[in-house]
Amino acid sequence: MSVPQGRRSSTFTRLLRHGFTDPSGAERLLDAPALSSVRSDPLLLDALGATADPDLALLGLVRLVEAQEREGGDAARRALLDTLITAKPLRDRLLAVLGASEALADHLARHPADWQALVTYEHSDLHPGVEEFERGLADATDPDALRVAYRRCLLSIAARDVCGTTDIAQTAAELADLATATLRAALAIASAAAPDDAARCRLAVIAMGKCGGHELNYVSDVDVIFVAESAQSAERTDGTDGADEGGAVRAATRLASHMMRICSETTVEGTIWPVDANLRPEGRNGPLVRTLSSHIAYYQRWAKTWEFQALLKARPVAGDLELGAAYVAAVSPMVWQAAERENFVADVQKMRKRVIAGIPAGEVERELKLGPGGLRDVEFAVQLLQLVHGRADASLRSGTTLDALAALADRGYVGRVDAAQLDDAYRFLRTLEHRIQLYKLRRTHLVPEDDADLRRIGRSMGMRTEPLTDLSRAWKRHTSVVRRLHEKLFYRPLLDAVAQLAPGETRLSTEAARERLVALGYADPSSALRHLEALASGVSRKSAIQRTLLPVLLGWFADSADPDAGLLGFRKVSDALGKTPWYLRLLRDEGAAAENLARVLSAGRLAPDLLMRAPEAVALLGDPHGLDPRGHAQLEQEVLAAVGRADGAEQAVAAARGVRRRELFRTTAADIIASYGTEESPAVGDQGALVDRVGSAVSELTAATLAGTLRAVVRDAWGDTLPARFAVIGMGRFGGHELSYGSDADVLFVYEPRDGADDHEAAQAANKVVAEMRRLLALPSADPPLLIDADLRPEGKSGPLVRTLKSYEAYYRRWSLVWESQALLRAEYVAGDADLGAAFLDLIDPLRYPADGLGDDAVREIRRLKARMETERLPRGADPTLHTKLGRGGLSDVEWTVQLLQLQHGGAEPALRTTRTRQALAAACAAGLLPARDTAILDEAWVLATRVRNAVMLVRGRAGDTFPSDGRELAAVGRYLGYDPGHVGDMLDDYRRTTRRARAVMEERFYGA
């Protein structure tokens, strides 16, 4: 029959107005014979338009009505449609489910009589519990019948959920109660199939995770732990385990395995949900079922921190509930002592980081549960606070996240506003998660990308005008709140403990604040509280900004090896710059600046010491290019300009040293931030690049400082012109552009009398310049000294400090030893007369790059010297496997191997003529003198040893060639090298392994072994 065009247009418009996205398809469905009696009823169209997806709801309704007619005839169809039109609560529930869940519509199409389950619980204040669900599952005597009954019960939960009759907390609790009833039914089926096993043992099923916490999802693994005893053990009173404990455990294991299969296996009726027992002792590698005593022994001796965190939600749900209660009573005291374990907070935070790291890169932004700002962030933070403060406060020991959060707020452990915001965010995220899972009843935590899916979800959450836009905006808003959960939950109450609060407000007690600081890793919580009070108390604008900044900073400090040092340093910098208008504004408004400052202040002593002498250098941390390395020309220009403005040599050199101090801070800060990483700039992966950048920056800065000092000394005594041309030649690591933070400047000095100048006068002038430069650079000062070491000069400490070019030439021609040729491999002009410096390098090139290579005698001499150095120069008591310079596979081993190749082949291979170790290594490999594998091994060891030396200087504030013995300092070195807390042993093992391999290469390539 044709439909008049006017009627078709009118219906089409009405369908669009009611939210249908496919009006033509909807019109065809409404014209289906199954709906002939109700198609024109306006109540039906209004009800469909109120659903999350009217098209989906209408399709589901047609399928249900057709299935009803097939199963029960026309009378059954009319009964459903009549009830649908006359009973509004049922109509709303049924259509709401059909519009939100394709999977439940499929179930109703298979089992059309199950719609009558929605007639139950008409009143919004009536919520089923475990007993009601057990009655609903009572007739299920086989696995498929249980699956059908489970879905029937799920219908009623989903109906109340999508209609808004229950809130998300109640829905999650009902799902957990249904899971409890289902586990009991599945265990009953398994017991009926194996009555002998059931009679032989007592089996308790302990719910963990969301099921244990009464906050289950629609589709989630149900985490459990199994505990068993022999059936006779309940009757014994003599303290023995009863008869056949092993047999009882085996019987219980068979029952537990069967129960898991009933719930987890997929049939034509689908799957209930997977039962996951991997939270048991030893995880999937451990026995599925243990006795109570076996559980207790494991937790007392072997359990990790995260296992106690998981036990926080343990709850007996099925089987022998008396045994289950005994299990919970036995493990509960251990749960509330977990916060006293070493590295407790670090372990919990490390576990959270591992979870985030395991998310595929393309899914991080859509991951609702595990991603940054997701559900797990709230849950982890709440559990962390529970474990810290629940030791002494039993009111915090709820396994339900929102109940625990409310208790934390009521007791003052979390600010009320912060708790309310997080409660709101958590409810939104859980609701979003439920709506995503409800559609297909699939286990997923990814927010869909399809607009149709997002539209359905948005409408199901009450967003009807612009569901896509409103959903996206709300999701981002709530995620941003959660992303700062440590600020909101863990740190802000610490400020409340030392700040003035409005009358009637609760706050963290001093003792609770002290406990929290200890748990965070602060060694001196009393001092930390005094610092917080000094920084945050008062009503000034400065104090208000500090109260905004400190919660975030406290978290970053706690993430370091020395939180106390970070907080103390921040107070000192704030005291020095507190009245400067730009300082706090910089930290508040420039996102990276505050985090960079926190990293720098808590990484060790060197960088904070440099900063304290000139706190205004904090400005570098907020400049996008403030930490970029500066070139030699730029540095020398600034140093010379500073020298030119000063009165007298001492003031001029003090100005040069001031520039050096600021630039050292720039370099150390850039190194720390690149090594630790921040939220905006992850840690740099190329360790060799970091080493090269530090070595070049410190070497260029040293050269510029020497140039400025030379200019100051000459100007002060001779005006513009010195009677001699004078040049400084860098040696050792200085010449190789490989200086570390604690290195001296190894140099040679060369001069030539100017035309017409008296030789004696020129010599006196040159010696005076050297003596004055060394004196001025070593003067006591707030700036770090720059020590000049000229011991590599001809005749060593016995020889003159400065020579003419001819004197060098005569010495090297007549007296030079092979070790001096080797030392000259690192010689490079760094300051003074450039032409004289170039002439010196031309003079020494034949010595360091002999055209015919080295003779056998020279090679033997170098090897003899190296062997002697290994036995004589290593400090007494030093561990040869951990000494970075002279130890096995350390800097000396790598450098002597490379330098021998340069002496042997530099005359023939121009690429080997470099002062830089890594460049020479690469050139030797390119020339076929070293296999690529050996080159990589030597390079890795050299980079690692250099990094360790830099780390020691950064952490301790003084140079050292081996790992610190102090535990906190050692941990700080580990953090710099990229090792998480508690992994210093891994760091030392990795260092030994890397250098052992380098030593093997060295012995083969250097000694010919």
Side-chain angles (χ1 to χ4, degrees):
M1 184 179 94
S2 62
V3 179
Q5 184 64 36
R7 179 189 159 196
R8 177 180 296 274
S9 174
S10 172
T11 303
F12 191 92
T13 303
R14 279 199 307 146
L15 291 171
L16 278 176
R17 190 169 62 248
H18 279 85
F20 288 87
T21 58
D22 182 13
S24 298
E27 198 169 6
R28 286 193 297 273
L29 289 172
L30 286 169
D31 286 337
L35 298 184
S36 59
S37 63
V38 297
R39 70 164 61 98
S40 60
D41 195 310
L43 290 176
L44 176 63
L45 203 58
D46 289 343
L48 287 168
T51 65
D53 186 339
D55 301 89
L56 183 66
L58 177 57
L59 175 61
L61 177 61
V62 171
R63 293 177 64 204
L64 172 59
V65 174
E66 290 175 345
Q68 196 75 25
E69 190 170 25
R70 277 195 312 272
E71 294 287 331
D74 189 59
R77 179 183 70 85
R78 284 199 307 271
L80 168 62
L81 292 177
D82 290 347
T83 306
L84 190 71
I85 295 303
T86 58
K88 183 180 187 305
L90 175 91
R91 179 173 65 243
D92 291 342
R93 287 169 186 260
L94 177 59
L95 294 183
V97 169
L98 294 175
S101 178
E102 184 180 88
L104 289 178
D106 291 342
H107 173 83
L108 286 171
R110 287 196 307 274
H111 305 281
D114 279 3
W115 68 270
Q116 296 185 55
L118 299 179
V119 177
T120 318
Y121 310 118
E122 290 287 346
H123 304 291
S124 61
D125 59 344
L126 180 60
H127 301 294
V130 176
E131 292 181 358
E132 287 82 5
F133 287 126
E134 284 188 295
R135 287 194 290 271
L137 303 177
D139 295 334
T141 56
D142 63 74
D144 269 345
L146 181 60
R147 294 182 181 97
V148 173
Y150 175 81
R151 290 290 175 95
R152 187 184 307 122
C153 292
L154 198 63
L155 273 168
S156 64
I157 295 175
R160 286 188 295 278
D161 178 19
V162 294
C163 288
T165 304
T166 55
D167 66 5
I168 187 61
Q170 181 61 39
T171 298
E174 288 184 14
L175 288 166
D177 285 341
L178 176 56
T180 297
T182 305
L183 289 171
R184 293 177 182 178
L187 183 56
I189 294 172
S191 297
D196 290 343
D197 285 340
R200 194 171 190 177
C201 67
R202 303 168 62 204
L203 174 63
V205 183
I206 310 298
M208 305 285 284
K210 283 185 163 53
C211 184
H214 257 106
E215 49 190 15
L216 197 60
N217 299 330
Y218 277 105
V219 189
S220 176
D221 291 356
V222 171
D223 297 305
V224 298
I225 285 176
F226 296 108
V227 189
E229 300 288 348
S230 65
Q232 293 81 7
S233 65
E235 303 170 5
R236 297 185 66 89
T237 59
D238 58 2
T240 62
D241 291 333
D244 194 18
E245 181 183 90
V249 169
R250 288 190 293 272
T253 300
R254 289 189 291 271
L255 287 175
S257 299
H258 191 183
M259 187 202 80
M260 292 174 70
R261 288 195 301 275
I262 291 170
C263 296
S264 304
E265 285 183 345
T266 302
T267 70
V268 67
E269 295 296 345
T271 304
I272 300 177
W273 17 248
V275 177
D276 188 342
N278 288 337
L279 291 177
R280 66 186 184 268
E282 300 179 74
R284 66 184 61 193
N285 297 318
L288 181 64
V289 179
R290 290 175 182 257
T291 63
L292 178 57
S293 59
S294 176
H295 276 285
I296 294 171
Y298 173 84
Y299 288 123
Q300 287 176 338
R301 298 184 62 188
W302 308 112
K304 298 180 175 62
T305 299
W306 70 264
E307 293 179 276
F308 293 110
Q309 185 180 355
L311 284 170
L312 192 151
K313 293 179 178 290
R315 179 172 63 93
V317 291
D320 191 313
L321 296 182
E322 182 181 352
L323 177 58
Y327 171 88
V328 172
V331 300
S332 183
M334 291 184 264
V335 171
W336 302 111
Q337 293 165 6
E340 299 170 9
R341 294 163 63 93
E342 188 176 359
N343 295 322
F344 161 70
V345 171
D347 286 346
V348 176
Q349 292 174 339
K350 184 168 58 180
M351 181 181 173
R352 176 69 188 116
K353 290 176 182 177
R354 276 203 307 270
V355 169
I356 294 176
I359 304 172
E363 297 179 358
V364 171
E365 295 303 319
R366 296 168 51 219
E367 176 57 66
L368 192 63
K369 176 182 177 182
L370 305 178
L375 292 161
R376 188 58 59 85
D377 272 351
V378 179
E379 292 162 357
F380 262 63
V382 169
Q383 290 164 24
L384 192 60
L385 287 174
Q386 285 181 276
L387 292 171
V388 169
H389 299 296
R391 291 173 292 173
D393 192 339
S395 68
L396 306 179
R397 299 180 182 179
S398 171
T400 305
T401 301
L402 290 178
D403 290 348
L405 179 58
L408 286 164
D410 288 343
R411 301 288 291 169
Y413 299 104
V414 174
R416 285 200 181 100
V417 173
D418 298 338
Q421 289 177 342
L422 275 155
D423 181 280
D424 187 38
Y426 188 73
R427 289 175 186 273
F428 173 86
L429 294 173
R430 285 301 304 274
T431 303
L432 178 56
E433 180 186 44
H434 276 208
R435 297 295 193 270
I436 292 169
Q437 292 183 348
L438 184 58
Y439 178 50
K440 295 278 190 181
L441 284 182
R442 290 179 182 168
R443 183 177 181 270
T444 179
H445 307 286
L446 289 178
V447 177
E449 297 177 294
D450 184 75
D451 283 354
D453 288 331
L454 294 172
R455 179 177 182 273
R456 181 188 65 256
I457 293 167
R459 283 173 58 89
S460 77
M461 296 175 69
M463 304 170 187
R464 297 304 175 93
T465 307
E466 296 287 344
L468 272 72
T469 302
D470 293 345
L471 178 64
S472 176
R473 185 180 296 120
W475 179 31
K476 289 179 180 177
R477 182 178 73 253
H478 288 297
T479 300
S480 67
V481 170
V482 177
R483 287 189 81 138
R484 292 298 180 184
L485 66 98
H486 279 294
E487 172 191 351
K488 297 292 184 184
L489 282 184
F490 217 85
Y491 303 110
R492 188 175 297 281
L494 289 169
L495 301 186
D496 295 341
V498 298
Q500 294 293 323
L501 298 177
E505 285 195 56
T506 58
R507 72 175 185 179
L508 205 63
S509 70
T510 302
E511 187 56 36
R514 197 174 280 114
E515 282 187 2
R516 188 173 296 193
L517 286 164
V518 170
L520 285 167
Y522 287 83
D524 187 355
S526 297
S527 294
L529 285 173
R530 287 196 297 272
H531 298 325
L532 293 176
E533 184 173 12
L535 288 163
S537 293
V539 295
S540 67
R541 182 174 177 78
K542 169 187 168 184
S543 298
I545 296 176
Q546 289 282 25
R547 286 193 290 272
T548 301
L549 290 169
L550 275 166
V552 187
L553 289 167
L554 283 169
W556 288 324
F557 294 149
D559 193 38
S560 72
D562 195 349
D564 299 85
L567 181 55
L568 173 61
F570 180 68
R571 180 181 177 183
K572 288 180 177 178
V573 173
S574 296
D575 287 346
L577 295 177
K579 295 182 180 179
T580 308
W582 57 265
Y583 167 63
L584 290 175
R585 188 169 62 244
L586 170 76
L587 299 184
R588 183 193 62 194
D589 298 339
E590 297 293 337
E595 185 172 4
N596 288 342
L597 179 60
R599 299 300 183 208
V600 167
L601 290 176
S602 55
R605 296 181 183 176
L606 179 61
D609 286 348
L610 293 169
L611 179 61
M612 295 311 166
R613 291 165 182 152
E616 64 276 4
V618 167
L620 297 175
L621 302 177
D623 184 341
H625 302 290
L627 300 180
D628 292 349
R630 305 176 73 200
H632 175 74
Q634 189 179 10
L635 286 169
E636 186 171 296
Q637 182 179 9
E638 181 179 1
V639 170
L640 293 178
V643 166
R645 292 191 295 269
D647 295 328
E650 287 196 7
Q651 286 190 20
V653 174
R657 289 173 67 179
V659 174
R660 177 172 177 264
R661 177 204 59 238
R662 186 199 66 218
E663 293 303 316
L664 276 176
F665 173 74
R666 188 196 306 270
T667 302
T668 57
D671 187 17
I672 290 166
I673 292 163
S675 298
Y676 276 68
T678 64
E679 288 186 5
E680 298 188 8
S681 302
V684 174
D686 186 351
Q687 306 302 306
L690 289 176
V691 164
D692 290 344
R693 186 167 73 178
V694 170
S696 293
V698 178
S699 300
E700 299 286 7
L701 178 57
T702 300
T705 305
L706 290 176
T709 303
L710 176 60
R711 172 73 62 86
V713 170
V714 170
R715 187 190 65 179
D716 193 57
W718 294 277
D720 293 333
T721 305
L722 186 70
R725 298 164 59 210
F726 187 92
V728 183
I729 307 298
M731 299 289 286
R733 283 188 166 69
F734 185 19
H737 295 258
E738 297 162 356
L739 284 181
S740 59
Y741 298 118
S743 298
D744 295 343
D746 291 314
V747 297
L748 298 178
F749 297 108
V750 57
Y751 80 99
E752 282 289 292
R754 293 193 179 276
D755 292 341
D758 178 73
D759 288 355
H760 180 68
E761 180 187 3
Q764 281 188 319
N767 277 284
K768 183 176 179 181
V769 165
V770 171
E772 192 67 1
M773 286 180 68
R774 297 181 78 182
R775 182 185 73 84
L776 291 173
L777 287 171
L779 280 177
S781 166
D783 299 316
L786 175 57
L787 301 180
I788 293 176
D789 188 340
D791 289 352
L792 291 176
R793 65 187 183 270
E795 302 177 72
K797 294 181 180 179
S798 303
L801 277 170
V802 60
R803 291 174 180 262
T804 64
L805 203 59
K806 289 181 179 179
S807 175
Y808 277 109
E809 189 273 333
Y811 174 85
Y812 289 135
R813 184 179 68 252
R814 298 179 61 188
W815 309 110
S816 178
L817 300 174
V818 67
W819 73 265
E820 291 178 293
S821 296
Q822 183 181 351
L824 289 170
L825 286 168
R826 315 291 292 277
E828 183 165 293
Y829 161 78
V830 294
D833 191 300
D835 291 337
L836 181 59
F840 178 84
L841 298 182
D842 289 340
L843 168 67
I844 64 172
D845 275 352
L847 277 80
R848 56 183 178 173
Y849 310 126
D852 299 327
L854 285 185
D856 291 343
D857 290 343
V859 172
R860 280 193 295 272
E861 176 63 13
I862 289 177
R863 289 172 175 167
R864 186 188 67 80
L865 289 171
K866 177 69 169 72
R868 179 182 171 188
M869 183 178 71
E870 290 176 10
T871 58
E872 294 181 0
R873 293 186 58 189
L874 190 70
R876 180 176 298 177
D879 185 344
T881 67
L882 294 177
H883 198 280
T884 59
K885 182 177 181 180
L886 303 174
R888 180 193 70 188
L891 298 171
S892 174
D893 278 0
V894 178
E895 290 165 1
W896 281 62
T897 303
V898 173
Q899 290 161 15
L900 179 59
L901 290 172
Q902 289 181 284
L903 289 167
Q904 289 175 314
H905 303 284
E909 296 287 346
L912 285 170
R913 300 171 195 171
T914 174
T915 62
R916 304 184 186 216
T917 301
R918 298 188 71 216
Q919 284 187 7
L921 259 177
C925 182
L929 302 173
L930 265 181
R933 178 179 178 277
D934 289 356
T935 302
I937 289 172
L938 293 175
D939 183 75
E940 182 185 13
W942 189 89
V943 167
L944 179 57
T946 303
R947 293 265 295 156
V948 171
R949 294 182 92 207
N950 284 340
V952 170
M953 183 66 185
L954 285 170
V955 169
R956 302 178 69 193
R958 60 182 187 275
D961 290 318
T962 191
F963 290 88
S965 57
D966 177 81
R968 189 171 285 253
E969 291 179 347
L970 187 62
V973 169
R975 296 303 300 278
Y976 173 84
L977 295 177
Y979 290 86
D980 288 332
H983 286 268
V984 294
D986 295 338
M987 171 181 68
L988 299 179
D989 289 345
D990 290 345
Y991 182 84
R992 288 188 173 103
R993 181 172 56 254
T994 300
T995 54
R996 182 174 62 247
R997 294 167 63 210
R999 178 66 183 191
V1001 172
M1002 180 267 186
E1003 288 179 346
E1004 179 182 356
R1005 301 295 169 184
F1006 182 82
Y1007 285 123

